[in-house]
Amino acid sequence: MNEIPALEMHEVQRAYGSLPALRGVSLTVPQGTVFGLLGPNGAGKTTTIRLLTGQLRPHAGQVRVLGLDPVASSRELSRKIGVMLEEPGHYERLPVRSNLRFFARLHGVGAERVEELLALVGLCGKAGEPVGRLSRGMRQRLALARALVGSPRVLFLDEPTAGLDPHAARGVRRLIEEFCGGQGTVFLTTHFMEEAEELCHQVGILDQGRLVALGNPQDLCRETLPEQIETVRGGRRLLRPPGLEDLFVHLTGRSLE
Ligand SMILES: Nc1ncnc2c1ncn2[C@@H]1O[C@H](COP(=O)(O)OP(=O)(O)OP(=O)(O)O)[C@@H](O)[C@H]1O
Ligand SMILES: [Mg+2]
């Protein structure tokens, strides 16, 4: 395959004042794949998304999205990417449907697409409610619908399933898989190791602004960890296959929590 990668970061550094948040991050995400960025609070995950979506400039290194510089080509890219932030701002007093219609108009998209998205994220029953009255999980799903409104080629999702009930979280995972099956690329952050193992073709584990692991989750575990991990439950020794959480502990000596 010689198509351009969806995302590329080369030796990217970024600080806030004197605090280095990213200390030389390099990664490549092929089109049509799901990349998961993992790491403890403050590791630099949201900073990475802000750099990839052109909200921040790198202090060193290169960032490319579909071959373009996300700051210099922000207008062109705004039609090709969808972004769901950690704390999405909505128009609180406007109903759900009007919120979505507002963003649909910005993208030159008709009302039909709005109804399609409301159904997709399971908000048809709340379409007439002011956003201020939605639960946290519903606001999250509205943010996802907003990210999808322009039919983007690359979707950035900052902790898309945080605060969702298990049913809604599963719905979002299915949505991500379908989006990817249609040749879309997804870059997400998550604290849920099992979610990353299930969804992601590639994961990166960030620790204090550095990638300590990068690759396919199953391969990473197989290459680095023993075949079985001993655990003690109820006084009995049990062996289980290792996962990404074990990998993080192995690499950093700390737990992800
Ligand atoms: N606007 C800002 N001004 C100053 N420091 C910031 C700013 N945003 C982030 N930081 C700092 O940069 C580091 C990385 O933050 P970032 O938000 O990227 O972490 P994160 O991995 O997304 O964490 P979390 O899991 O809590 O969302 C942290 O030390 C944070 O305090
Ligand atoms: Mg964050």
Side-chain angles (χ1 to χ4, degrees):
M1 285 211 292
N2 54 6
E3 69 182 4
I4 47 163
L7 308 172
E8 284 177 287
M9 295 179 76
H10 183 69
E11 288 298 319
V12 172
Q13 296 180 34
R14 172 72 208 199
Y16 296 103
S18 62
L19 175 92
L22 288 188
R23 308 166 189 243
V25 167
S26 301
L27 55 85
T28 303
V29 181
Q31 294 187 39
T33 67
V34 182
F35 184 97
L37 193 58
L38 315 170
N41 294 136
K45 302 181 296 298
T46 297
T47 302
T48 305
I49 288 198
R50 294 179 69 201
L51 285 159
L52 285 165
T53 54
Q55 300 167 56
L56 277 183
R57 279 172 205 278
H59 289 153
Q62 260 201 348
V63 181
R64 290 287 178 273
V65 175
L66 298 168
L68 300 169
D69 177 332
V71 178
S73 302
S74 62
R75 265 183 85 96
E76 183 173 351
L77 279 175
S78 69
R79 283 180 270 117
K80 297 180 174 170
I81 69 172
V83 188
M84 176 181 163
L85 298 171
E86 256 174 329
E87 282 161 23
H90 298 299
Y91 294 101
E92 298 290 320
R93 289 193 207 168
L94 281 183
V96 170
R97 180 179 278 119
S98 313
N99 260 273
L100 217 45
R101 281 194 179 163
F102 174 82
F103 291 99
R105 270 197 299 276
L106 288 184
H107 282 273
V109 173
E112 243 167 67
R113 174 76 177 148
V114 168
E115 298 310 310
E116 200 180 291
L117 287 168
L118 285 171
L120 197 66
V121 299
L123 281 177
C124 291
K126 293 282 175 182
E129 289 269 325
V131 172
R133 286 194 218 150
L134 295 187
S135 76
R136 184 177 135 90
M138 291 170 187
R139 300 170 70 87
Q140 190 94 336
R141 286 189 267 150
L142 174 59
L144 184 62
R146 225 171 88 180
L148 286 165
V149 86
S151 304
R153 287 173 61 186
V154 187
L155 201 51
F156 295 92
L157 306 173
D158 205 353
E159 303 193 29
T161 57
L164 295 189
D165 67 58
H167 176 75
R170 203 172 316 125
V172 168
R173 287 199 290 273
R174 291 297 83 82
L175 232 142
I176 291 171
E177 281 172 342
E178 278 166 32
F179 179 80
C180 183
Q183 286 314 297
T185 308
V186 180
F187 187 96
L188 61 89
T189 73
T190 181
H191 284 110
F192 304 119
M193 298 294 115
E194 281 167 12
E195 178 168 289
E197 280 162 27
E198 177 191 331
L199 272 182
C200 301
H201 301 95
Q202 225 192 144
V203 293
I205 301 183
L206 260 189
D207 184 38
Q208 298 176 11
R210 283 201 181 85
L211 276 177
V212 292
L214 180 65
N216 173 267
Q218 285 78 24
D219 292 347
L220 281 172
C221 290
R222 201 171 36 231
E223 287 159 12
T224 321
L225 301 170
E227 254 174 63
Q228 299 286 326
I229 300 259
E230 193 180 280
T231 50
V232 180
R233 190 174 292 167
R236 289 177 58 194
R237 284 173 195 280
L238 303 166
L239 293 174
R240 59 165 176 80
L244 287 173
E245 175 79 38
D246 303 300
L247 183 67
F248 185 80
V249 174
H250 175 83
L251 292 169
T252 66
R254 285 174 286 114
S255 137
L256 255 172
E257 297 309 316

